[in-house]
Amino acid sequence: MTLAGKTILMSGGSRGIGLAIALRAAADGANVAMLAKTDTPHPKLEGTVHTAADAIRAAGGNALAIVGDVRSDDDITGAVLKTQGEFGGIDIVINNASVIDLSRSADLAAKKYDLMQDVNVRGTFMLSRAAVPLLKDAPNPHILSLSPPLNITPKWLGAHTGYTLAKYGMTMATLGLAAEFADAGIAANTLWPRTTIATAAVQNLLGGDRVMAASRTPEIYADAAYEVLTTPSRERTGQTLVVEDVLADAGITDLSKYAAVPGTPDDRLFPDIFLD
């Protein structure tokens, strides 16, 4: 099974992991619609929804750039209708858009707490829900959220409570959708990496050049997502998956090609959060 001719609706995706997943799908000839805010270049972040669409087309796929905000119900409805109008339906929803703030509870601004809840949790739920009627008509429908397993140890619950709530909320929404729409054959899973991924968030928020050099490239996330999305939807749903485990199950155990700095041994890579 490939993603040839499949239609993906993704939140975010102008850069980083979302774009890498889109490009992997585009290599099969997939259609990718992106609902993203970045209409014009950002002073600190590379790429816009338009440059992402150009890259998808160059990689062999079809692209639809939708400028909008996953916090807006009107924008979500518009994105679903535009995707249906352009490509005839929706096969896959990828909840990629996410806001990160690792502030301790006493230091976390109320507006940032609300933003994380709105984008991460509400956005995941509302975008997925809006696409369900079209997913029901797809031959192999999938919802994939880029969020972690539910690890309720005090280490992670107390590390950055506001962000933890938001990411676990994404996961809870996804698992709930998996259970609710299992009879319709809609798979809903989450996916999270064991090591940090070399993205703008890691560069700007998690440790700069030092952590970037000890990370893996977004392509490892993209290859794992591809394995999930090409699985028959009734065979894998309601799971909180880990990138490296998905690849191992697919027979891919040598991960050296994904090192952001070639030659970096696995034991020198920086572990991501939420996984013990």
Side-chain angles (χ1 to χ4, degrees), residues 50-235:
H50 306 294
T51 60
D54 289 341
I56 289 165
R57 297 183 189 105
N62 299 305
L64 177 62
I66 305 170
V67 178
D69 192 333
V70 76
R71 294 175 294 173
S72 165
D73 293 344
D74 288 343
D75 287 356
I76 286 175
T77 299
V80 170
L81 293 176
K82 289 174 183 176
T83 304
Q84 181 185 29
E86 183 75 13
F87 301 123
I90 296 174
D91 299 280
I92 296 165
V93 171
I94 299 179
N95 295 300
N96 164 73
S98 185
V99 176
I100 179 172
D101 190 317
L102 302 182
S103 298
R104 305 287 287 181
S105 295
D107 301 320
L108 180 63
K111 288 181 65 175
K112 183 59 74 69
Y113 175 90
D114 290 343
L115 180 63
M116 289 193 290
Q117 286 291 321
D118 283 348
V119 173
N120 300 8
V121 188
R122 190 181 190 278
T124 293
F125 178 79
M126 291 297 182
L127 183 65
S128 301
R129 185 182 73 167
V132 161
L134 297 180
L135 291 173
K136 286 181 176 179
D137 293 333
N140 190 42
H142 281 266
I143 297 169
L144 183 64
S145 300
L146 308 190
S147 59
L150 300 174
N151 185 348
I152 59 170
T153 60
K155 174 182 178 180
W156 296 119
L157 288 177
H160 26 64
T161 303
Y163 180 62
T164 298
L165 282 169
K167 293 307 288 189
Y168 286 6
M170 289 181 71
T171 297
M172 289 292 289
T174 305
L175 295 178
L177 293 167
E180 186 174 357
F181 297 106
D183 290 346
I186 300 175
N189 298 287
T190 71
L191 186 62
W192 195 252
R194 202 174 297 283
T195 73
T196 52
I197 304 297
T199 63
V202 169
Q203 176 71 54
N204 298 329
L205 300 173
L206 294 184
D209 293 341
R210 180 179 68 87
V211 178
M212 286 285 281
S215 299
R216 289 186 170 128
T217 64
E219 282 67 33
I220 189 172
Y221 220 137
D223 287 348
Y226 183 87
E227 295 295 333
V228 176
L229 298 174
T230 53
T231 300
S233 61
R234 292 184 181 272
E235 294 182 9

